[in-house]
Amino acid sequence: MRLGFLGLGTMGTPMALNLSHHFRLTVWNRSPSKYPPLLQPGSTVKPAANPLQLIHQSDLIFLMLFNEQAILSILTPDLIPHLRNKTLVNTSSVSVPFSQHLNTSITTAGGTFIEMPVSGSKIPAQQGRLVGMLAANNPSLADSIRPYIQPMTSAAIYCGPVGSGLKMKYAVNTFLITVTVGLAEAANLASAQGLDLDAFGQVLEAGPMASAYSKLKVDKILREDWSAQATIKDCYNSTQLITAAAEGAGAETLLTQLCGSLYKRAIESGLADEDMISVVKCLPKRGDEECCDKKGGFQG
C-alpha cells in the first residue's frame, strides 16, 4: 500500500512523521519549508511536486488542512477524477455538509472516502496518541485502514456513517474548549487575588480535577510559553463549526458561543497563532489598560 499525506502543519507534520516510520510515504505541502523534519538521513519520504503527483503515487491518502477553503483549493474539480480507485481519509475539521459533499464527489469518481477527525493536539500527535473518530457509510471501509492509522493513534473509534466522526468531534471539542477557557479564567482569578500561580497549579494537580491536559496548560501559563499546540484560530474555527452544528440539531451551546467571542477577541488582538491557553491574556484584571496584548505576558 502506497501512502500519501497532504498538509504538513502543526498536526500534519507529526502525523506524517509517525506514518513514515512504518510505511513509504509521499508528502505535499504548499510551503516546502515544512519538508526538512521528514527528510532526515535514512528517510524514505518523497515530496511530491504537486497534489496530483501525490495522488498518482499513492493508494491511501491522508488530508490534514485548516478548513474547507484550503481543501477546495487542492481538491479541485479537475483533480477529483484522479481519485478513482484511491482512498482519501480526511482528518481535517470541516462541516458535516462539506464532508458529505466530499464523499459524494469522490465516490462518484470511483474512489473511497473516509472521515477521521482526530482528538488531540501537537504533543499527542508527536506521541502517536491521537484519538481517531472514524466515519464511513460502510463500517468495513473504516476497518480496512486500521493497520495504517495505528502509528498515529492510541484509539480509533467507529462513530457511524459519514458526518458522524465530525459530529463526535464537535461534542468532544465543546468540552475541550469550555474547559480551556474555564482554566484560563481560574488562573486569571487566582492572579487577580494576588495568589501564587505555582501554588494554584499544585492545588489543581493534587485535586480530583487534575489531568495531563490541565497540568500542561498551567505549566504554559507559569512559563508564559504561548507556542502553539493548538492555536487560537483553530479554536475559534472549532467554535463556529460547533455552533452551526448545534443550531442544526436544535441544541444550545451557550458556553461555546461565549468562548467563541473570547477567541475572536484574541484573534483581533493578534494572538491567532498562539496556543489556545493564551486566551488567558484576554481576561482583564482591575487596572489593566489592555485585556489582550500580543507582546505582553500573563503576570501572576
Side-chain angles (χ1 to χ4, degrees):
M1 180 72 76
R2 300 174 302 165
L3 271 59
F5 205 105
L6 291 164
L8 301 174
T10 300
M11 296 292 289
T13 296
M15 292 169 70
L17 191 59
N18 285 330
L19 283 175
S20 73
H21 294 157
H22 299 269
F23 307 104
R24 290 187 178 274
L25 184 68
T26 301
V27 299
W28 180 85
N29 191 72
R30 200 178 304 275
S31 169
S33 64
K34 300 291 187 178
Y35 292 146
L38 292 154
L39 301 178
Q40 299 301 311
S43 170
T44 60
V45 174
K46 294 182 179 180
N50 51 58
L52 181 59
Q53 185 183 74
L54 182 143
I55 289 172
H56 286 163
Q57 295 177 354
S58 308
D59 303 303
L60 174 61
I61 301 152
F62 292 92
L63 184 68
M64 174 55 96
L65 296 171
F66 177 63
N67 57 18
E68 297 172 7
Q69 289 71 31
I71 293 172
L72 288 173
S73 71
I74 292 173
L75 297 185
T76 62
D78 291 340
L79 188 144
I80 293 290
H82 294 274
L83 289 169
R84 180 178 177 81
N85 298 323
K86 311 284 185 178
T87 297
L88 183 96
V89 182
N90 181 37
T91 66
S92 317
S93 294
V94 296
S95 68
V96 169
F98 183 79
S99 189
Q100 292 169 334
H101 165 72
L102 283 181
N103 177 62
T104 299
S105 298
I106 291 169
T107 55
T108 299
T112 299
F113 178 79
I114 299 172
E115 184 180 279
M116 194 189 77
V118 294
S119 179
S121 57
K122 183 178 178 180
I123 289 179
Q126 291 171 334
Q127 296 171 337
R129 296 194 59 80
L130 296 169
V131 177
M133 290 159 277
L134 287 163
N137 289 346
N138 184 338
S140 65
L141 295 177
D143 289 337
S144 71
I145 67 166
R146 289 187 183 277
Y148 306 104
I149 61 178
Q150 191 171 359
M152 301 184 291
T153 61
S154 59
I157 298 154
Y158 179 71
C159 300
V162 170
S164 302
L166 287 162
K167 291 176 182 179
M168 188 67 74
K169 177 155 187 177
Y170 302 154
V172 170
N173 274 10
T174 298
F175 179 56
L176 171 66
I177 289 167
T178 53
V179 163
T180 302
V181 173
L183 179 59
E185 189 167 89
N188 187 62
L189 176 59
S191 174
Q193 295 179 119
L195 296 174
D196 176 37
L197 284 182
D198 185 62
F200 165 77
Q202 292 178 49
V203 171
L204 189 61
E205 187 176 353
M209 294 179 293
S211 68
Y213 182 77
S214 64
K215 185 177 189 304
L216 181 67
K217 295 305 182 186
V218 169
D219 284 347
K220 288 182 78 67
I221 291 172
L222 288 171
R223 292 184 287 109
E224 297 192 350
D225 170 16
W226 313 120
S227 60
Q229 292 158 348
T231 65
I232 289 281
K233 66 184 178 185
D234 287 329
C235 286
Y236 177 70
N237 183 53
S238 188
T239 64
Q240 301 311 290
L241 290 169
I242 292 166
T243 300
E247 288 175 355
E252 285 193 317
T253 52
L254 302 178
L255 291 177
T256 300
Q257 291 179 52
L258 183 60
C259 292
S261 66
L262 191 58
Y263 280 118
K264 183 179 181 181
R265 185 195 303 172
I267 290 172
E268 292 170 347
S269 299
L271 306 180
D273 293 317
E274 293 194 2
D275 189 77
M276 59 196 297
I277 197 60
S278 69
V279 74
V280 70
K281 295 192 286 183
C282 287
L283 297 170
K285 296 187 289 290
R286 185 180 300 163
D288 285 353
E289 294 182 3
E290 296 277 346
C291 64
C292 280
D293 184 359
K294 182 177 181 180
K295 296 181 180 179
F298 177 79
Q299 298 296 332

